[in-house]
Amino acid sequence: MEMNSTKASVPEFLSDLGKPTLRGIRKCPRCGTYNGTRGLSCKNKSCGNVFRCGARKQPSVDAVKIITGSSQQIFSVRQRDRGPDYRCFVELGVSETTLQTVYGTVLTQLNSGRCFLPSCLKGASKATTDYRCQHIRLAENCCTEAKPLTLKSSVLNSMHISPEMKQVIWQLATEPTGPLVQRVTRNILVVKCKASPKHSLGYLHVSFVQKLNSLGVLEPRFFCSCHGSLKMKKSMKMSKTKLLKEEPSQNCVHFHACVGAFSSDEALAQEFADFLSGDSSGRWKVAPNVLSAITD
């Protein structure tokens, strides 16, 4: 009996992807062509968009010094026991103390450090001697500085956000406490914020990452320590956690501050195109005149 070979039906727009794998596909943000997730660049020859360089993935930087615009020394430090995308803040300084010697009382200066990770703050409060967690030690050996990102006023004025939010962003940007947005790793940035009990230094971490969904398709995800994680989709699945139940249209000021900084630089606008273009509903879209203002 003659056996006929059968092939699984494949949609026409996926017919040129080659051998199928379980790693999924992604859509080129520039031309819309579907590519395999491991591709380095778009297979559309007329597009040539580069997704990532072919070099081996660089390890996450353990400690990065934040630009504060003053003598204040603040560092973004990786939490090694949790992974490359988890970071905390460390502040280093100098404290004065008195020592009793045979020659009398001597005033001396000692290097001091404070880690703002809750578990380390708890350990420091219980310590009877100078408490120096691993994050403080990493900050003391730091030799890397954050990269400041520029926010153009023309870009901010063109963004589809409320005038009140624009005012808040501009006030934060013009404060003499360093740049509004600073990049510490490929996916993680530090953004200025209003000082609060949770963010007493006036800075917080945000991240822009690509995550595979249940269908094996990469989705852009944004995380901010002021609320939690959000999918950049209209049909966002509601989490059991109350903090994750925010509507995309009500996203935080820190997200819009980063979007403005990305849109102010042509290379960053291309790199973070998925976060600037949004979905078909246009809910996340940056106005066309914002992107055109990059060259202003």
Side-chain angles (χ1 to χ4, degrees):
M1 181 176 173
E2 187 178 347
M3 300 293 294
N4 294 325
S5 59
T6 60
K7 293 184 179 180
S9 60
V10 178
E12 185 177 351
F13 69 96
L14 299 179
S15 60
D16 59 345
L17 281 177
K19 186 178 179 180
T21 69
L22 298 178
R23 294 188 176 91
I25 59 174
R26 64 174 166 183
K27 192 176 183 179
C28 175
R30 176 181 289 181
C31 70
T33 301
Y34 285 91
N35 299 265
T37 57
R38 300 188 72 187
L40 301 180
S41 61
C42 182
K43 65 186 179 185
N44 181 358
K45 302 302 181 182
S46 61
C47 173
N49 186 26
V50 177
F51 302 136
R52 58 188 174 91
C53 58
R56 182 173 296 180
K57 185 179 179 180
Q58 297 296 317
S60 180
V61 181
D62 284 332
V64 179
K65 187 176 183 179
I66 304 304
I67 303 171
T68 62
S70 66
S71 59
Q72 188 180 23
Q73 298 185 72
I74 300 176
F75 300 82
S76 169
V77 183
R78 176 189 172 194
Q79 300 178 44
R80 284 180 167 179
D81 55 337
R82 297 194 65 185
D85 293 332
Y86 292 88
R87 304 184 75 88
C88 61
F89 288 110
V90 169
E91 182 179 22
L92 298 182
V94 178
S95 60
E96 293 185 345
T97 187
T98 56
L99 297 176
Q100 297 295 330
T101 68
V102 294
Y103 302 103
T105 303
V106 177
L107 182 65
T108 185
Q109 292 184 333
L110 297 175
N111 291 330
S112 61
R114 186 184 186 192
C115 178
F116 289 83
L117 188 66
S119 58
C120 294
L121 284 173
K122 185 177 180 180
S125 64
K126 295 181 179 180
T128 55
T129 58
D130 184 27
Y131 183 82
R132 305 178 74 77
C133 66
Q134 61 171 324
H135 310 112
I136 293 177
R137 294 193 294 269
L138 288 171
E140 290 174 337
N141 296 320
C142 174
C143 57
T144 304
E145 190 173 73
K147 178 182 178 181
L149 305 186
T150 301
L151 172 64
K152 292 183 178 180
S153 59
S154 57
V155 170
L156 178 61
N157 291 332
S158 302
M159 293 178 66
H160 290 321
I161 55 178
S162 67
E164 293 77 16
M165 183 167 289
K166 290 180 181 180
Q167 182 65 24
V168 171
I169 293 175
W170 189 247
Q171 286 178 348
L172 289 172
T174 53
E175 287 178 355
T177 52
L180 174 64
V181 182
Q182 305 179 52
R183 194 173 189 177
V184 294
T185 70
R186 182 173 178 270
N187 299 320
I188 302 176
L189 302 99
V190 168
V191 183
K192 285 197 293 189
C193 65
K194 292 182 179 180
S196 65
K198 184 179 180 181
H199 304 105
S200 57
L201 291 174
Y203 298 92
L204 52 73
H205 288 106
V206 303
S207 64
F208 292 81
V209 296
Q210 299 278 353
K211 296 287 187 181
L212 285 174
N213 63 14
S214 58
L215 300 176
V217 178
L218 282 173
E219 284 182 343
R221 296 289 297 270
F222 168 72
F223 176 88
C224 180
S225 56
C226 78
H227 58 62
S229 177
L230 290 177
K231 289 183 181 180
M232 313 300 289
K233 292 182 65 179
K234 181 179 179 181
S235 57
M236 183 182 70
K237 293 181 180 179
M238 305 306 277
S239 169
K240 293 180 180 179
T241 305
K242 185 176 181 180
L243 290 176
L244 305 188
K245 290 186 177 180
E246 299 189 27
E247 290 294 331
S249 59
Q250 298 175 347
N251 207 5
C252 67
V253 64
H254 315 111
F255 169 80
H256 294 296
C258 291
V259 166
F262 297 157
S263 302
S264 298
D265 182 272
E266 188 173 1
L268 291 174
Q270 180 176 329
E271 181 179 352
F272 293 94
D274 286 346
F275 295 91
L276 301 183
S277 60
D279 60 12
S280 58
S281 69
R283 180 169 292 187
W284 290 97
K285 265 181 188 172
V286 177
N289 53 335
V290 171
L291 298 179
S292 65
I294 293 173
T295 55
D296 291 352

